[in-house]
């Protein structure tokens, strides 16, 4: 799904005054204000920006708080909540499975980009989880007394009063290479948490912080020929699309002249009403190919023309969304989520790297 509105969370092991963390989180994207929910207790404070994925609002019970950034597919249950109203149904499913002797398998039970924080309000035990590739990264800073974790480097810097503590080597690294070498950031003393990891600590004793990987890549050869491998890939993609859309009747897709987007369209169930969108600078050969493909598969074709300054106009808001040290690339649909009503669809499917704002 291509996303233009992001959710985020910010945690502090030090209990903060009500409203102070909301002000910090809200500054990420002032032109798209979304509700921020705060939680406070002896374990610290947590601010969570509303999740635009249905079913993944923050959840609180008598003992636990669970917040999810992103909208992963849950492979251990149905995902009908994605097509429903805003709720905590998916978050509660994750929390319930995690509580069951912590038997949750983060690499098998969740599919897709995510970042999660789980808080035991009674014991003060905290656990944060990153996805397989840190598509949604988490950032951490701590001193001897206070620890802060967040899904956006600039809000972690602000709450930690490290905004002016710039790491000039990392800035130079970004200018030269387009990225900052892991685990460093633009800010001294703020680092990125490892991908595919769980990080645990106690709010009253942040020195006992430990991270461990729940998954590591291995080089294995499961198939003897390309045909078997391609069938496995196709079946996996088809199953994923079915899991997303099973309770939906109407979805949007990004269509182009490329093979990836047409393959996704071809695997989309035919009973769905499908709106196919293409964003271009003019009605060129790619638009004609895209329309032809949409017609073949019975999708409604929508041509959307970008202004000559489209990327320049969106440079500032997209940069605020991604944060310092991350460079957005070709977020074609930013702005069109409003003009084309993309945010009204329960799902927007796309091809390879169709958009890079995942939160």
């Amino acid at each position: 799904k291509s996303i233009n509105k992001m959710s985020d969370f910010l945690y502090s092991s030090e209990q903060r005054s009500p409203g102070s963390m909301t002000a910090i989180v809200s500054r990420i994207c002032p032109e798209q204000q979304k509700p921020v929910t705060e939680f406070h207790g002896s374990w610290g404070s947590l601010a969570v920006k509303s999740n635009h994925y249905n079913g993944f609002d923050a959840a609180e019970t008598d003992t636990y708080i669970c917040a999810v950034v992103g909208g992963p597919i849950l492979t251990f249950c149905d995902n009908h909540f994605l097509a429903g109203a805003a709720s905590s149904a998916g978050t509660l499913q994750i929390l319930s499975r995690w509580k069951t002797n912590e038997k949750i398998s983060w690499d098998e039970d969740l599919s897709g980009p995510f970042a999660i924080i789980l808080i035991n309000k009674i014991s003060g035990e905290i656990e944060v989880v990153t996805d397989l590739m840190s598509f949604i990264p988490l950032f951490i800073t701590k001193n001897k007394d206070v620890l802060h974790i967040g899904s956006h480097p600039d809000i972690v810097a602000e709450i930690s009063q490290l905004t002016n503590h710039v790491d000039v080597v990392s800035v130079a690294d970004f200018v030269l290479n387009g990225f900052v070498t892991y685990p460093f950031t633009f800010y001294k003393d703020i680092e990125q948490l490892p991908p595919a990891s769980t990080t645990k600590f106690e709010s009253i004793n942040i020195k006992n912080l430990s991270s461990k990987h729940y998954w590591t890549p291995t080089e294995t050869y499961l198939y003897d020929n390309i045909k078997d491998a391609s069938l496995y890939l196709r079946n996996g993609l088809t199953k994923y699309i079915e899991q997303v859309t099973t309770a939906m009747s109407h979805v949007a897709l990004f269509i182009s002249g490329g093979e990836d987007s047409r393959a996704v369209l071809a695997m989309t169930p035919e009973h769905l009403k499908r709106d196919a969108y293409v964003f271009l600078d003019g009605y060129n050969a790619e638009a004609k190919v895209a329309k032809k493909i949409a017609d073949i598969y019975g999708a409604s074709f929508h041509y959307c023309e970008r202004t000559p300054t489209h990327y320049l106009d969106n440079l500032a808001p997209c940069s605020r969304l991604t944060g310092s040290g991350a460079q957005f690339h070709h977020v074609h649909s930013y702005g069109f989520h409003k003009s084309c009503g993309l945010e009204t669809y329960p799902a927007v499917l796309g091809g390879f790297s169709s958009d890079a704002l995942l939160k």
Side-chain angles (χ1 to χ4, degrees):
K1 181 172 180 178
S2 172
I3 294 308
N4 295 299
K5 298 188 298 180
M6 287 192 173
S7 53
D8 285 281
F9 73 73
L10 179 61
Y11 167 79
S12 174
S13 63
E14 177 183 59
Q15 191 167 343
R16 312 286 293 196
S17 59
S20 61
M21 296 176 73
T22 294
I24 294 174
V25 173
S26 297
R27 278 192 278 273
I28 295 175
C29 190
E31 63 273 5
Q32 292 183 7
Q33 289 297 343
K34 297 175 65 181
V36 177
T37 303
E38 290 190 359
F39 303 90
H40 304 277
S42 59
W43 46 266
S45 294
L46 174 70
V48 184
K49 203 169 191 178
S50 177
N51 198 325
H52 50 267
Y53 289 100
N54 294 336
F56 287 107
D57 284 345
E60 182 177 20
T61 67
D62 291 340
T63 306
Y64 298 99
I65 297 171
C66 179
V68 180
V69 176
I73 294 299
L74 308 185
T75 62
F76 57 90
C77 64
D78 68 61
N79 292 265
H80 293 170
F81 52 80
L82 290 174
S87 71
S88 302
T91 306
L92 288 170
Q93 288 279 11
I94 294 172
L95 176 60
S96 176
R97 193 166 180 87
W98 174 79
K99 287 192 303 181
T100 309
N101 298 320
E102 297 190 10
K103 291 291 181 65
I104 191 166
S105 178
W106 296 109
D107 57 328
E108 297 290 342
D109 292 345
L110 280 72
S111 177
F114 64 86
I116 297 173
I117 182 168
L118 300 123
I119 299 171
N120 187 318
K121 299 188 294 183
I122 308 302
S123 67
E125 295 174 315
I126 318 290
E127 181 172 346
V128 291
V129 190
T130 56
D131 63 43
L132 291 183
M133 304 297 291
S134 277
F135 284 118
I136 299 179
L138 292 178
F139 304 91
I140 184 171
T141 181
K142 63 176 180 175
N143 56 34
K144 59 182 179 181
D145 299 317
V146 183
L147 178 147
H148 297 115
I149 296 177
S151 55
H152 193 288
D154 297 333
I155 62 176
V156 174
E158 182 172 350
I159 196 172
S160 308
Q161 298 183 334
L162 294 174
T163 303
N164 295 323
H165 291 237
V166 178
D167 181 357
V168 295
V169 175
S170 292
V171 173
D173 189 14
F174 177 77
V175 172
L176 291 172
N177 302 305
F179 53 84
V180 177
T181 301
Y182 170 85
F184 304 104
T185 69
F186 268 24
Y187 305 101
K188 296 177 181 177
D189 301 319
I190 297 179
E191 293 187 348
Q192 181 180 329
L193 287 174
S197 70
T198 58
T199 299
K200 299 180 181 180
F201 59 94
E202 297 178 357
S203 58
I204 59 174
N205 187 9
I206 63 172
K207 292 181 180 179
N208 291 337
L209 181 147
S210 63
S211 292
K212 68 175 183 179
H213 291 284
Y214 61 80
W215 175 87
T216 54
T218 57
E219 186 173 353
T220 57
Y221 298 91
L222 301 177
Y223 307 100
D224 296 328
N225 56 72
I226 190 66
K227 181 179 180 180
D228 290 343
S230 62
L231 287 174
Y232 178 82
L233 175 60
R234 178 184 175 84
N235 291 337
L237 286 172
T238 302
K239 182 179 179 180
Y240 183 89
I241 292 171
E242 290 176 348
Q243 287 176 311
V244 171
T245 63
T246 183
M248 300 175 184
S249 60
H250 190 187
V251 300
L253 304 98
F254 293 148
I255 189 70
S256 68
E259 295 180 0
D260 50 351
S261 63
R262 73 178 71 173
V264 171
L265 175 56
M267 288 185 281
T268 306
E270 293 184 2
H271 71 269
L272 291 173
K273 181 181 179 181
R274 294 164 291 175
D275 289 325
Y277 291 86
V278 65
F279 311 104
L280 295 168
D281 298 328
Y283 201 90
N284 54 19
E286 181 176 5
K288 295 176 183 178
V289 171
K291 184 180 187 308
K292 182 177 180 180
I293 297 301
D295 291 342
I296 289 174
Y297 290 104
S300 299
F301 179 72
H302 300 271
Y303 165 73
C304 307
E305 189 163 320
R306 294 191 297 249
T307 64
T309 57
H310 173 78
Y311 290 112
L312 181 61
D313 294 339
N314 293 316
L315 178 61
C318 286
S319 295
R320 284 195 295 270
L321 286 172
T322 56
S324 299
Q327 183 176 355
F328 80 92
H329 293 279
H330 303 299
V331 186
H332 305 300
S333 65
Y334 192 89
F336 291 109
H337 65 288
K338 288 289 186 182
S339 60
C340 296
L342 295 178
E343 57 190 357
T344 65
Y345 291 91
V348 183
L349 307 175
F352 176 71
S353 295
S354 60
D355 258 346
L357 300 183
L358 301 171
K359 291 190 285 183

